[in-house]
Amino acid sequence: MSDPLLATLKVAGSGLEAQSTRLRIVSENIANARTTGDTPGADPYRRKTVTFGAELDRVSGAETVEVKKLGVDFADFIEEYDPGNPAADERGIVKMPNVNILVEMADMRESNRTYEANLQTIKQTRDMISQTIALLKASQ
């Protein structure tokens, strides 16, 4: 049987890694929210997505989280009338990315809070391990 405290560290560590990836993808989406195609009628930046999955860690027996897939959102692009834009077609329509800043900000906030929760779990577990070691030293 593995140590439950070490398993806790492994689970929280996998959560940190997964949320770090999610934050990177969200920041890419926000940074490219106004990135159009290079030529008239060309497709603009397409929103990226992250899919998580559970993975059994055979050593610790704990289920960890991992990034299963980085994908793209195939929702329709937003069309704007902007005849002066180099990416505008013959009608003056520019295809804009399918990125909704409000959705991305909500995703960022959720990811940030989840990251902080995993970090707090690691801190608490580390403190429990330190206290256990101190008790073992005191009993000798």
Side-chain angles (χ1 to χ4, degrees), residues 9-22 65 114-120 122:
L9 289 174
K10 186 168 284 278
V11 171
S14 71
L16 287 176
E17 189 174 335
Q19 293 306 323
S20 178
T21 300
R22 184 178 180 198
V65 64
T114 304
Y115 188 94
E116 288 173 354
N118 282 298
L119 194 57
Q120 188 62 33
I122 290 173

Side-chain angles (χ1 to χ4, degrees), residues 40-62:
D43 285 346
Y45 174 84
R46 191 173 285 279
R47 179 179 183 260
K48 293 181 181 177
T49 61
V50 179
T51 304
F52 298 120
E55 184 71 29
L56 179 65
D57 180 64
R58 296 189 192 285
V59 175
S60 66

